[in-house]
C-alpha cells in the first residue's frame, strides 16, 4: 500500500525531531537526554565538531578509544573525561616508502617519551623525525569529551584535525615488533653471535626454538655423529660454555691426563 503525502511528511518530521533530540545537547549540560531512540555506531576517526551517543555496552566507547593520538587532559568536572590530540610524528625529509606511503608515526603519550621519540631516526630513510602538533581548535589541539550517563556514553568533539592521520595502535605495535626482530638478528647482536659460535664449533646451526633449550639444558643438545667418541666431557663443556656466556670449571686429573682432544 502506497503511503500518502501526509504520512511521508510525518515521518520526515519525526526523523528531524529525533535528530534534533540527539544533537541538541552539550557535554556540559546538567542533564543529558535519556529517551534516546537510536544509538550511533562507533566512530574510530571522529573529526570536526561532532556528537555521538553510544551504548554503555559498547567496548570501544567504554575504553574511550580513538585512532587519533589522544591523551587525558586535566578537567575540573570529574564526570567528564577530556582528551586532547597530540598530532602526528613525520619524517623531516618527507620520504616515502616503496609503495608510496608517507611516514606518519603515532606520538608517544608521555612527554619525556615523546621528546625521546623525536630524537630517533626515521624507520624508512634514517632521517630526522619531527612532531606536527594539532592546532585544529582555534590554534589549540582538538579536544574530545566523554561522559557516562545511565545506559549511554555521550561523546563530543570540538575542533577539526589539521594534520594527517597517524598510524593506529595496532600498526604501531606491529612496526615495533618487526624492528625488535630485525635488531635481535642483526650482525652485531649477541644472540646471532652465539648462534654463529655454535655453528663454527659443532658444524650445526640450532633453530630459534632449540636455542633456549640448548643454553638451559646442555646435556640435551645432541652432538653430530662424526663428533661422538672424539669429544670429551670437558671439551663439550667448553663448547657449550662459550655459547652461554660462562666458562667451564677447570678439571684436573681424569680429563687432563686422558690425552683426549
Amino acid at each position: 500500500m502506497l503511503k500518502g503525502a501526509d504520512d511521508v511528511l510525518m515521518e520526515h518530521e519525526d526523523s528531524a525531531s529525533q535528530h534534533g533530540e540527539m544533537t541538541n545537547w552539550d557535554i556540559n549540560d546538567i542533564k543529558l537526554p535519556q529517551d534516546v531512540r537510536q544509538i550511533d555506531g562507533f566512530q574510530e576517526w571522529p573529526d570536526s565538531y561532532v556528537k555521538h551517543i553510544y551504548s554503555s555496552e559498547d567496548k570501544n566507547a567504554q575504553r574511550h578509544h580513538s585512532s587519533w593520538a589522544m591523551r587525558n587532559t586535566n578537567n575540573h568536572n570529574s564526570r567528564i573525561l577530556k582528551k586532547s590530540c597530540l598530532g602526528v610524528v613525520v619524517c623531516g625529509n618527507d620520504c616515502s616508502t616503496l609503495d608510496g606511503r608517507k611516514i606518519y608515526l603515532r606520538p608517544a603519550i608521555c612527554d619525556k617519551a615523546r621528546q625521546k621519540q623525536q630524537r630517533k631516526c626515521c624507520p624508512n630513510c634514517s632521517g630526522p623525525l619531527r612532531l606536527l602538533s594539532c592546532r585544529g581548535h582555534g590554534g589549540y589541539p582538538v579536544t574530545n569529551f566523554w561522559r557516562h550517563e545511565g545506559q549511554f556514553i555521550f561523546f563530543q568533539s570540538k575542533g577539526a584535525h589539521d594534520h594527517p592521520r597517524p598510524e593506529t595502535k595496532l600498526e604501531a605495535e606491529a612496526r615495533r615488533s618487526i624492528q625488535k626482530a630485525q635488531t635481535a638478528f642483526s650482525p652485531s647482536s649477541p644472540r646471532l653471535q652465539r648462534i654463529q659460535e655454535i655453528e663454527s664449533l659443532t658444524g650445526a646451526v640450532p633453530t630459534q626454538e632449540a636455542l633456549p633449550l640448548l643454553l638451559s639444558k646442555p646435556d640435551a643438545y645432541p652432538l653430530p655423529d662424526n663428533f661422538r667418541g672424539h669429544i670429551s666431557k670437558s671439551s663439550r663443556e667448553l663448547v657449550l660454555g662459550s655459547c652461554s656466556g660462562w666458562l667451564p670449571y677447570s678439571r684436573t686429573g681424569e680429563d687432563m691426563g686422558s690425552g683426549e682432544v
Side-chain angles (χ1 to χ4, degrees):
M1 181 178 179
L2 297 177
K3 295 182 179 179
D6 293 340
D7 296 335
V8 175
L9 180 60
M10 289 180 62
E11 287 184 358
H12 282 296
E13 290 177 351
D14 291 341
S15 177
S17 62
Q18 180 179 346
H19 180 73
E21 173 189 296
M22 294 182 63
T23 58
N24 190 22
W25 54 269
D26 186 84
I27 202 72
N28 295 303
D29 290 345
I30 298 177
K31 291 185 178 181
L32 294 176
Q34 290 298 311
D35 54 345
V36 179
R37 303 176 186 176
Q38 183 178 357
I39 59 176
D40 297 326
F42 188 80
Q43 301 297 314
E44 184 179 3
W45 299 95
D47 204 353
S48 190
Y49 295 82
V50 296
K51 300 177 185 178
H52 295 291
I53 302 178
Y54 302 121
S55 169
S56 60
E57 303 297 327
D58 191 309
K59 299 299 182 182
N60 288 319
Q62 291 176 1
R63 296 186 294 112
H64 313 121
H65 171 71
S66 176
S67 285
W68 299 102
M70 311 292 294
R71 70 168 177 181
N72 294 353
T73 308
N74 293 334
N75 190 19
H76 298 293
N77 191 338
S78 60
R79 301 174 61 186
I80 302 175
L81 175 63
K82 181 180 178 181
K83 289 193 168 189
S84 299
C85 181
L86 293 171
V88 61
V89 175
V90 300
C91 175
N93 295 334
D94 194 28
C95 69
S96 301
T97 59
L98 295 177
D99 54 0
R101 293 183 301 168
K102 293 293 183 179
I103 302 299
Y104 297 139
L105 305 182
R106 191 174 190 84
I109 300 299
C110 176
D111 292 338
K112 291 184 178 180
R114 193 164 57 256
Q115 294 174 1
K116 183 178 179 181
Q117 181 183 26
Q118 296 175 61
R119 293 194 295 266
K120 295 182 179 181
C121 298
C122 171
N124 184 57
C125 71
S126 299
L129 294 176
R130 65 187 183 95
L131 174 67
L132 286 182
S133 300
C134 182
R135 296 289 183 263
H137 187 201
Y140 295 94
V142 171
T143 307
N144 291 346
F145 299 89
W146 298 85
R147 180 173 169 181
H148 294 237
E149 288 289 337
Q151 299 179 351
F152 307 103
I153 298 177
F154 293 83
F155 170 85
Q156 185 173 359
S157 175
K158 295 183 179 181
H161 297 274
D162 59 347
H163 55 84
R165 292 181 177 183
E167 59 185 352
T168 64
K169 292 181 180 179
L170 293 178
E171 291 171 344
E173 292 173 358
R175 174 177 55 80
R176 286 192 290 266
S177 299
I178 294 175
Q179 290 176 345
K180 288 181 180 179
Q182 292 174 344
T183 303
F185 289 96
S186 65
S188 60
S189 68
R191 184 176 185 182
L192 185 58
Q193 290 177 358
R194 289 196 298 269
I195 295 177
Q196 291 173 344
E197 289 174 359
I198 296 173
E199 180 183 8
S200 63
L201 293 170
T202 65
V205 182
T207 62
Q208 183 177 356
E209 294 78 7
L211 184 59
L213 179 62
L214 167 64
L215 300 181
S216 61
K217 298 181 179 180
D219 295 336
Y221 179 69
L223 294 174
D225 293 337
N226 58 340
F227 279 86
R228 297 183 185 276
H230 298 283
I231 298 182
S232 66
K233 183 177 182 182
S234 60
S235 302
R236 188 161 61 248
E237 290 173 349
L238 177 60
V239 171
L240 299 177
S242 64
C243 302
S244 58
W246 53 267
L247 294 176
Y249 56 87
S250 60
R251 303 285 295 265
T252 59
E254 54 174 324
D255 289 336
M256 295 296 295
S258 60
E260 297 182 58
V261 180

